[in-house]
Coordinates of all heavy atoms in Angstrom, one line a residue:
E1 N 0.4 33.7 15.0 CA 0.1 33.5 16.5 C -0.6 34.7 17.2 O -1.6 34.5 17.9 CB 1.3 33.2 17.1 CG 1.2 32.9 18.7 CD 2.5 32.6 19.3 OE1 3.6 32.7 18.6 OE2 2.5 32.4 20.5
K2 N -0.1 35.8 17.0 CA -0.7 37.0 17.6 C -2.0 37.4 17.1 O -2.9 37.9 17.9 CB 0.3 38.2 17.6 CG 1.7 37.9 18.3 CD 1.5 37.7 19.8 CE 2.7 37.4 20.5 NZ 3.6 38.4 20.6
Q3 N -2.3 37.2 15.8 CA -3.6 37.4 15.3 C -4.6 36.5 15.9 O -5.8 36.9 16.2 CB -3.6 37.4 13.8 CG -2.9 38.5 13.1 CD -2.8 38.3 11.6 OE1 -3.7 38.5 10.9 NE2 -1.6 38.0 11.0
L4 N -4.2 35.2 16.0 CA -5.1 34.2 16.6 C -5.4 34.6 18.0 O -6.5 34.5 18.4 CB -4.3 32.9 16.5 CG -5.1 31.7 17.1 CD1 -6.4 31.4 16.4 CD2 -4.2 30.3 17.0
M5 N -4.4 35.1 18.6 CA -4.5 35.5 20.2 C -5.6 36.6 20.1 O -6.6 36.5 21.1 CB -3.3 36.0 20.7 CG -3.4 36.4 22.2 SD -1.8 37.3 22.7 CE -0.6 36.0 22.5
A6 N -5.5 37.5 19.3 CA -6.5 38.6 19.2 C -7.9 38.2 19.1 O -8.9 38.6 19.6 CB -6.1 39.7 18.2
A7 N -8.1 37.2 18.0 CA -9.4 36.6 17.7 C -9.9 35.8 18.9 O -11.1 35.9 19.1 CB -9.3 35.8 16.4
K8 N -9.0 35.1 19.6 CA -9.5 34.4 20.7 C -10.0 35.3 21.9 O -10.9 35.0 22.6 CB -8.5 33.3 21.2 CG -8.4 32.2 20.2 CD -7.4 31.1 20.7 CE -7.4 29.9 19.7 NZ -6.5 28.8 20.3
L9 N -9.3 36.4 22.0 CA -9.7 37.4 23.0 C -11.0 38.0 22.8 O -11.8 38.1 23.7 CB -8.7 38.6 23.0 CG -7.3 38.4 23.8 CD1 -6.5 39.6 23.5 CD2 -7.5 38.1 25.2
L10 N -11.3 38.2 21.5 CA -12.7 38.5 21.1 C -13.7 37.6 21.4 O -15.0 37.9 21.6 CB -12.7 39.0 19.6 CG -12.0 40.3 19.1 CD1 -12.1 40.3 17.8 CD2 -12.7 41.5 19.8
S11 N -13.4 36.2 21.4 CA -14.4 35.2 21.6 C -14.9 35.2 23.1 O -15.8 34.6 23.4 CB -13.7 33.8 21.3 OG -12.7 33.4 22.3
F12 N -14.1 35.9 24.0 CA -14.6 36.0 25.3 C -15.7 37.1 25.5 O -16.4 37.1 26.6 CB -13.4 36.3 26.3 CG -12.5 35.2 26.5 CD1 -11.2 35.2 25.9 CD2 -12.8 34.1 27.2 CE1 -10.3 34.2 26.1 CE2 -11.9 33.0 27.5 CZ -10.6 33.0 26.8
M13 N -15.9 37.8 24.5 CA -16.9 38.8 24.5 C -18.2 38.2 24.2 O -18.3 37.1 23.5 CB -16.6 40.0 23.6 CG -15.4 40.8 23.9 SD -14.9 41.9 22.6 CE -16.4 43.0 22.7
P14 N -19.4 38.8 24.4 CA -20.6 38.3 23.9 C -20.6 38.1 22.3 O -19.9 38.9 21.7 CB -21.7 39.4 24.3 CG -21.0 40.0 25.4 CD -19.5 40.0 25.2
A15 N -21.3 37.2 21.8 CA -21.2 36.9 20.4 C -21.4 38.3 19.5 O -22.5 38.9 19.8 CB -22.2 35.8 19.9
L16 N -20.5 38.6 18.7 CA -20.6 39.9 18.1 C -21.8 39.9 17.1 O -22.5 41.0 16.9 CB -19.3 40.2 17.3 CG -18.1 40.5 18.0 CD1 -16.9 40.5 17.2 CD2 -18.2 41.7 19.0
H17 N -22.1 38.8 16.5 CA -23.3 38.7 15.6 C -24.6 38.8 16.4 O -25.6 38.8 15.6 CB -23.2 37.5 14.7 CG -23.3 36.2 15.3 ND1 -22.2 35.6 16.0 CD2 -24.3 35.5 15.6 CE1 -22.7 34.4 16.5 NE2 -23.9 34.3 16.3
K18 N -24.6 38.8 17.7 CA -25.7 39.0 18.3 C -26.0 40.5 18.9 O -27.0 40.7 19.6 CB -25.9 37.9 19.5 CG -26.0 36.4 18.9 CD -26.1 35.5 20.0 CE -26.2 34.0 19.4 NZ -26.2 33.1 20.4
L19 N -25.0 41.2 18.7 CA -25.1 42.7 19.2 C -26.0 43.5 18.4 O -26.1 43.3 17.1 CB -23.7 43.3 19.3 CG -22.7 42.7 20.3 CD1 -21.4 43.4 20.1 CD2 -23.2 42.8 21.7
A20 N -26.7 44.4 19.0 CA -27.4 45.4 18.3 C -26.4 46.2 17.5 O -25.4 46.6 18.0 CB -28.2 46.2 19.2
P21 N -26.7 46.7 16.2 CA -25.7 47.4 15.4 C -25.1 48.6 16.1 O -23.9 48.9 16.0 CB -26.5 47.8 14.2 CG -27.4 46.7 14.1 CD -27.9 46.4 15.4
K22 N -26.0 49.4 16.9 CA -25.5 50.6 17.5 C -24.5 50.2 18.6 O -23.5 51.0 18.8 CB -26.7 51.4 18.1 CG -27.5 52.0 17.1 CD -28.7 53.0 17.8 CE -29.6 53.6 16.6 NZ -30.6 54.4 17.3
I23 N -24.7 49.2 19.2 CA -23.6 48.7 20.3 C -22.4 48.3 19.6 O -21.3 48.5 20.0 CB -24.2 47.7 21.2 CG1 -25.3 48.2 22.1 CG2 -23.2 47.1 22.2 CD1 -26.1 47.3 22.9
F24 N -22.5 47.5 18.6 CA -21.5 46.9 17.8 C -20.7 48.0 17.2 O -19.4 47.9 17.3 CB -22.0 46.1 16.7 CG -21.0 45.0 16.1 CD1 -21.5 44.0 15.2 CD2 -19.7 45.1 16.4 CE1 -20.6 43.1 14.7 CE2 -18.8 44.2 15.8 CZ -19.2 43.2 15.0
R25 N -21.2 49.1 16.8 CA -20.3 50.2 16.3 C -19.4 50.8 17.3 O -18.3 51.1 17.0 CB -21.3 51.2 15.8 CG -22.1 50.8 14.5 CD -23.3 51.7 14.2 NE -24.1 51.1 13.1 CZ -25.3 51.5 12.9 NH1 -25.8 52.6 13.6 NH2 -26.0 51.0 11.9
V26 N -19.9 50.9 18.5 CA -19.0 51.4 19.6 C -17.9 50.4 19.9 O -16.7 50.7 20.1 CB -19.9 51.6 20.9 CG1 -19.0 52.1 22.0 CG2 -20.9 52.7 20.6
V27 N -18.2 49.1 19.9 CA -17.3 48.0 20.1 C -16.2 48.1 19.1 O -14.9 48.0 19.4 CB -18.0 46.7 20.3 CG1 -16.9 45.5 20.3 CG2 -18.9 46.6 21.6
F28 N -16.6 48.2 17.9 CA -15.7 48.1 16.7 C -14.7 49.3 16.8 O -13.5 49.1 16.6 CB -16.4 48.2 15.5 CG -15.6 48.1 14.2 CD1 -15.0 46.9 13.9 CD2 -15.6 49.1 13.3 CE1 -14.1 46.7 12.8 CE2 -14.9 49.0 12.1 CZ -14.1 47.7 11.9
S29 N -15.2 50.5 17.1 CA -14.2 51.7 17.2 C -13.4 51.5 18.5 O -12.0 52.0 18.3 CB -15.1 53.0 17.3 OG -15.8 53.2 16.1
L30 N -13.7 50.9 19.5 CA -13.0 50.7 20.7 C -11.8 49.7 20.4 O -10.7 49.9 20.8 CB -13.8 50.3 21.9 CG -14.6 51.4 22.6 CD1 -15.5 50.8 23.6 CD2 -13.7 52.5 23.2
L31 N -12.2 48.7 19.7 CA -11.3 47.8 19.3 C -10.0 48.3 18.5 O -8.9 48.1 18.8 CB -11.9 46.6 18.6 CG -11.0 45.6 17.9 CD1 -10.3 44.6 19.0 CD2 -11.7 44.8 16.9
D32 N -10.4 49.1 17.6 CA -9.4 49.8 16.8 C -8.6 50.7 17.6 O -7.2 50.8 17.5 CB -10.0 50.5 15.6 CG -8.9 51.0 14.7 OD1 -8.3 50.3 13.9 OD2 -8.6 52.3 14.7
R33 N -9.1 51.4 18.5 CA -8.4 52.4 19.4 C -7.6 51.7 20.3 O -6.4 52.2 20.5 CB -9.5 53.3 20.1 CG -8.9 54.4 21.0 CD -8.2 55.4 20.1 NE -9.2 56.1 19.3 CZ -9.9 57.1 19.6 NH1 -9.9 57.6 20.8 NH2 -10.8 57.6 18.7
L34 N -7.9 50.5 20.9 CA -7.1 49.9 21.8 C -5.9 48.9 21.1 O -4.9 48.9 21.7 CB -8.0 48.9 22.6 CG -9.0 49.6 23.5 CD1 -9.8 48.5 24.2 CD2 -8.2 50.3 24.7
L35 N -6.2 48.3 20.0 CA -5.4 47.4 19.5 C -4.8 47.8 18.1 O -3.9 47.0 17.6 CB -6.1 45.9 19.3 CG -6.6 45.4 20.6 CD1 -7.3 44.1 20.2 CD2 -5.6 45.2 21.6
G36 N -5.3 48.8 17.5 CA -4.9 49.3 16.2 C -3.7 50.2 16.1 O -2.8 50.4 17.0

């Protein structure tokens, strides 16, 4: 349940596969810092 919640939270963000890699790298690090 909680993993599904996390995935659905991400779905509210702009589509990750449409981000420029340099922006995606920042988002990825922030995600781990906030939720990891």
